[in-house]
Amino acid sequence: MTTLYIVRHAEAEGNIYRRVHGSYDGYITKNGLSQIARLKDRFSDIPLDAVYTSDLARTRQTATALYEDKRITPRFCPELREFHFGIWEDLTWGELISDYPEQYQNWCDRPEAFQVQGSETYASMYARVKAKLDEIVKNHPNQTVGVVTHGTVIRALLCAFLYGEDFTRLKDVQWCDNTAVACIEFDNGKYTVRYCNDNEHLKEVSTLERQQWWREVDDPAYFNLHFRLAQLPQDMDLLDEYYHAAWIQIFQKDDYNSKAMRSRMKKLLDADENAIAIARRRDENVGTILLDTRAKVLPDAGHIALLYLTEQNRGKYMGAILIGYAVSFYRKLGKKYISVRVAQTNTRARKFYEKLGFEEMRMEESDGIIQIILRKQITDLF
């Protein structure tokens, strides 16, 4: 009998930026690093003979928890990659709701029938992964093997092992938490699920427990934002209103120069038409992000000139989605970091950025207040 411990990767960018990261190579978050440490403790007394992992960064880094202290050489396998979403890759989930409502509903209600341009199907993904799993158990008879892969992959495998490859039963299989563990036994040509979706090692760092948004409102569009690129002059008044409100919040005084800021916003868009995006929830504007491609605040860093959410939409897990826009934008431009300025007295903003993996680099005085320059790495940390 061969025993398989199948593990989902730790919390990664797609999980908190609410972006579709299938084959897109997103990276582990700060909380994900804590999950990897807990996973390592869990496997400290579990003997393993081999470790296989998807070759994407988020699984490769998670797999270190299984092999680092066991003198095992990991095997990186593209066959164990996540579902490939085709034209959906790196879009926000809000954009799917807005722009692909029929296909999005299929993904939620009839995943076995889902397909968009360039994507896999559940059946084709399962065939790819299952062939690799069959090879693994053939090469490791009567051994114990760790397999680190992805949420959709694990859901398909569990569905097949529990319900005989009947993917109409996918709704009966829960999505597993980041670094959740499934124990599968293979004997006499049959896979048997001993347990699954076990996240007892996580406690307070559980992604599902920390992300309460999906429990609070029975409307995925409420928390899953989408973006509309700003157009001038028609969006200038809205952007000016947002910038004015942010200025008062930051500087605690109303000496805002509308003419200067309007000129600055025009220059940002002249430099890159994607540099200003308006965040929307269904048909409602809820904030904006302004990216300054000309700024040289820190070496190799793309700068965030403004991140703004309206007052009633703060503290609702949406700010990370705006950061996700900046990461996606600057990564395409080859930047290694993103930077942002925060008033020293703005403890709420500092905690927000720290939670998302920003670190304080230096302080400087600007417009009569002390501001802190923060930086976040957006290249592979592993």
Side-chain angles (χ1 to χ4, degrees):
M1 181 180 70
T2 299
T3 300
L4 301 171
Y5 288 101
I6 301 181
V7 182
R8 187 185 179 191
H9 63 78
E11 182 183 279
E13 292 174 327
N15 302 122
I16 62 169
Y17 297 159
R18 304 300 302 149
R19 300 184 80 90
V20 181
H21 286 181
S23 62
Y24 182 92
D25 209 4
Y27 306 136
I28 297 297
T29 67
K30 183 177 179 180
N31 186 60
L33 296 177
S34 298
Q35 294 176 345
I36 291 172
R38 300 289 182 91
L39 184 67
K40 186 174 184 177
D41 287 343
R42 174 172 182 154
F43 273 85
S44 62
D45 296 326
I46 297 176
L48 296 175
D49 298 291
V51 173
Y52 290 78
T53 175
S54 154
D55 63 342
L56 296 178
R58 57 193 186 270
T59 41
R60 286 189 290 114
Q61 188 166 5
T62 302
T64 61
L66 276 63
Y67 69 76
E68 263 190 347
D69 291 344
K70 294 182 169 64
R71 296 183 179 179
I72 294 174
T73 300
R75 308 181 198 195
F76 303 123
C77 308
E79 300 92 337
L80 297 175
R81 284 187 179 187
E82 178 61 297
F83 188 97
H84 191 291
F85 284 91
I87 59 172
W88 277 18
E89 289 287 341
D90 201 35
L91 297 180
T92 69
W93 287 96
E95 285 166 335
L96 309 186
I97 296 168
S98 172
D99 300 340
Y100 301 90
E102 184 177 342
Q103 293 95 325
Y104 174 78
Q105 211 57 49
N106 267 350
W107 176 255
C108 295
D109 299 333
R110 298 179 63 240
E112 75 281 358
F114 170 82
Q115 189 170 26
V116 294
Q117 182 182 339
S119 80
E120 295 182 286
T121 64
Y122 254 95
S124 63
M125 178 203 66
Y126 170 73
R128 159 172 62 83
V129 177
K130 175 63 160 41
K132 187 62 182 180
L133 214 60
D134 289 344
E135 178 187 313
I136 290 171
V137 296
K138 179 181 178 181
N139 291 338
H140 297 279
N142 302 314
Q143 292 186 329
T144 302
V145 180
V147 177
V148 183
T149 183
H150 304 264
T152 312
V153 168
I154 293 171
R155 193 183 190 208
L157 290 173
L158 291 176
C159 181
F161 298 158
L162 291 169
Y163 303 116
E165 300 185 10
D166 179 6
F167 293 118
T168 64
R169 300 292 300 274
L170 280 164
K171 293 190 291 296
D172 297 324
V173 181
Q174 292 182 341
W175 291 99
C176 65
D177 206 346
N178 293 108
T179 72
V181 181
C183 182
I184 312 294
E185 293 177 348
F186 179 81
D187 196 22
N188 294 321
K190 181 182 179 182
Y191 292 92
T192 302
V193 179
R194 290 305 175 202
Y195 63 79
C196 61
N197 298 347
D198 186 344
N199 67 348
E200 282 300 307
H201 57 286
L202 292 177
K203 309 299 182 184
E204 75 280 0
V205 299
S206 160
T207 300
L208 294 182
E209 289 303 313
R210 288 162 63 93
Q211 292 185 354
Q212 296 294 322
W213 59 266
W214 57 276
R215 293 189 179 99
E216 294 176 1
V217 179
D218 189 21
D219 177 10
Y222 187 80
F223 293 106
N224 286 310
L225 305 182
H226 61 104
F227 293 94
R228 176 175 64 79
L229 296 181
Q231 301 292 320
L232 301 184
Q234 52 265 48
D235 289 321
M236 185 62 86
D237 288 343
L238 175 66
L239 295 170
D240 189 53
E241 175 189 333
Y242 286 164
Y243 218 134
H244 189 180
W247 185 275
I248 295 173
Q249 179 188 358
I250 294 168
F251 297 103
Q252 300 296 305
K253 56 184 178 180
D254 194 0
D255 58 352
Y256 176 74
N257 186 330
S258 177
K259 183 177 180 180
M261 291 306 169
R262 285 172 179 254
S263 175
R264 183 185 187 191
M265 287 186 278
K266 184 177 184 304
K267 290 176 180 178
L268 294 182
L269 283 184
D270 286 345
D272 193 303
E273 63 181 6
N274 300 303
I276 303 180
I278 296 169
R280 292 168 62 78
R281 181 177 56 226
R282 292 202 184 276
D283 297 325
E284 174 192 5
N285 298 323
V286 299
T288 188
I289 184 161
L290 280 65
L291 305 173
D292 190 344
T293 58
R294 305 161 305 154
K296 301 187 185 303
V297 177
L298 293 172
D300 297 319
H303 189 62
I304 300 174
L306 176 69
L307 185 150
Y308 178 81
L309 283 167
T310 56
E311 182 65 36
Q312 62 270 31
N313 289 295
R314 295 171 196 162
K316 296 180 179 178
Y317 323 103
M318 298 180 189
I321 302 176
L322 274 68
I323 293 295
Y325 182 91
V327 170
S328 178
F329 175 90
Y330 279 125
R331 192 171 280 155
K332 291 173 184 174
L333 295 181
K335 298 296 184 181
K336 296 181 181 179
Y337 308 94
I338 52 176
S339 63
V340 67
R341 287 187 177 93
V342 178
Q344 185 182 31
T345 56
N346 193 344
T347 55
R348 181 177 180 180
R350 290 171 65 182
K351 288 179 180 179
F352 164 77
Y353 287 113
E354 180 184 358
K355 185 178 179 181
L356 291 175
F358 284 78
E359 56 180 346
E360 297 184 2
M361 301 302 295
R362 68 169 189 262
M363 291 188 293
E364 62 181 32
E365 186 172 345
S366 176
D367 296 297
I369 67 168
I370 301 298
Q371 296 198 67
I372 298 174
I373 308 299
L374 299 102
R375 185 185 74 174
K376 174 181 173 64
Q377 186 168 343
I378 61 173
T379 51
D380 193 352
L381 300 173
F382 178 64

